[in-house]
Amino acid sequence: MAITKDIVGKKLDRFDFTVERGKIKEFCLAINEKNPIYFDVEEAKKAGYSDVPAPPTFPTVIMFWGYPKIWNDMAELGIDLSKILHLKEEYTYHKILYPGKVYAQSEIADVKVGRAEIVTFRTTIYDEKNDPILSAEMAIFIRKD
Amino acid sequence: MAKIEFDKVEVGQTLPPLDVPVIEHANLVRYAGASGDFNPIHNDPDFARKAGLDGTISHGMYVMAQVGRLCTSWAEQKDIAYFGVTFKAMTKLGEKLTIVGTIKKKFEKDGKKTVTVLVEAKNEAGEVKAGGDLVVNAV
């Protein structure tokens, strides 16, 4: 099964995820980030934040821990999981991502077929008032044999 | 870390580089748990070899996270408007990366000052693993 352009615009399930201070700390320890604003609420407040912010690439945590169904969805869309490579990741930030409940929804933003097959997913992460916090674009490249 | 002052940055100016500790298997196991990305090519050497690789390779997002550390070591997290990279080569265990940044563009529109930085992760041979743009709101 191959991918087709017909899937452009298809929406994946909306889901929610609770960003926890402990998860931010764990993520920062894993990437060697040592800035105290990510670990200590008081330090964050001194720097002008209302709580510990999540670092720039933290949205990946929301995707993988919040929506593990992404793998099944990709397979159902005709993407061969054994052949994918991460090609691009882009974040546009509207607000600071803080601990608390967020909602997320992904859709297929673009598909390229032919010699190089590329699928781009756009995910928007919203706060509880449904205001967008950030949008992420992930492009995957499907290797050919 | 402070606000980026528009008048104090020049196109072509470089950011202080960031050295990343040599990437070891343990870093990737830990990153897998933290991020939730358990693709076995990053944590299972036997699986990786069967998939035609020499051994496990780094998560692209682990490399992007290191680029992100350069971004937040230079600009305040709250001033970052955009951060994106393209992955250009696989990063293997034992590789030592340096993250570099060069001011690419600065412009003012409707009173809003913006600075764009070319950010890259390179290995010791100068091979670019990931490269892209950081866009920061300046004052």
Side-chain angles (χ1 to χ4, degrees), chain A:
Chain A
M1 192 166 128
I3 53 160
T4 67
K5 280 190 165 287
D6 298 348
I7 60 174
V8 173
K10 186 176 168 50
K11 286 182 162 51
L12 309 187
D13 301 342
R14 185 177 154 98
F15 66 97
D16 62 64
F17 183 78
T18 300
V19 176
E20 294 164 323
R21 286 179 189 158
K23 193 69 186 161
I24 292 175
K25 184 176 174 180
E26 179 192 20
F27 186 77
C28 286
L29 289 171
I31 65 169
N32 285 311
E33 174 60 68
K34 296 185 175 78
N35 189 325
I37 65 163
Y38 300 110
F39 295 88
D40 182 331
V41 181
E42 292 312 312
E43 291 292 333
K45 284 183 177 168
K46 269 191 239 167
Y49 298 89
S50 60
D51 199 336
V52 289
T57 62
F58 188 88
T60 194
V61 173
I62 298 175
M63 282 309 300
F64 283 113
W65 281 112
Y67 196 76
K69 188 171 170 278
I70 184 74
W71 302 109
N72 303 331
D73 288 358
M74 283 203 270
E76 279 176 19
L77 291 166
I79 297 168
D80 182 346
L81 297 177
S82 68
K83 302 237 165 60
I84 57 174
L85 286 175
H86 199 168
L87 179 65
K88 244 179 160 180
E89 187 80 14
E90 299 177 271
Y91 299 112
T92 301
Y93 308 94
H94 308 296
K95 287 179 164 192
I96 301 167
L97 177 61
Y98 283 125
K101 197 168 187 181
V102 296
Y103 296 85
Q105 172 128 49
S106 303
E107 65 175 301
I108 313 291
D110 194 29
V111 171
K112 284 193 174 62
V113 292
R115 284 179 61 198
E117 292 193 333
I118 297 167
V119 181
T120 304
F121 294 81
R122 183 185 301 123
T123 303
T124 307
I125 295 175
Y126 302 91
D127 64 15
E128 288 198 282
K129 292 178 196 150
N130 215 29
D131 287 335
I133 301 172
L134 64 95
S135 67
E137 281 202 15
M138 171 184 76
I140 55 167
F141 177 81
I142 304 164
R143 287 188 287 142
K144 294 203 172 159
D145 288 326

Side-chain angles (χ1 to χ4, degrees), chain B residues 4-96:
Chain B
I4 301 305
E5 293 181 57
F6 191 76
D7 295 335
K8 289 192 179 167
V9 296
E10 294 303 332
V11 171
Q13 181 187 329
T14 56
L15 272 50
L18 186 144
D19 286 320
V20 178
V22 172
I23 296 178
E24 294 174 355
H25 190 67
N27 296 115
L28 303 183
V29 171
R30 191 166 191 172
Y31 183 78
S35 68
D37 182 350
F38 291 103
N39 184 331
I41 62 167
H42 305 304
N43 62 36
D44 181 340
D46 290 339
F47 181 94
R49 279 190 283 270
K50 280 181 198 146
L53 303 165
D54 296 337
T56 50
I57 59 163
S58 173
H59 301 78
M61 289 306 295
Y62 180 76
V63 175
M64 186 178 183
Q66 303 308 315
V67 181
R69 285 207 293 131
L70 176 84
C71 299
T72 54
S73 73
W74 182 69
E76 293 189 10
Q77 165 99 37
K78 53 179 169 295
D79 293 329
I80 297 176
Y82 169 90
F83 173 41
V85 301
T86 299
F87 298 102
K88 296 178 177 177
M90 291 187 277
T91 301
K92 297 176 181 172
L93 296 185
E95 285 202 278
K96 193 171 182 314

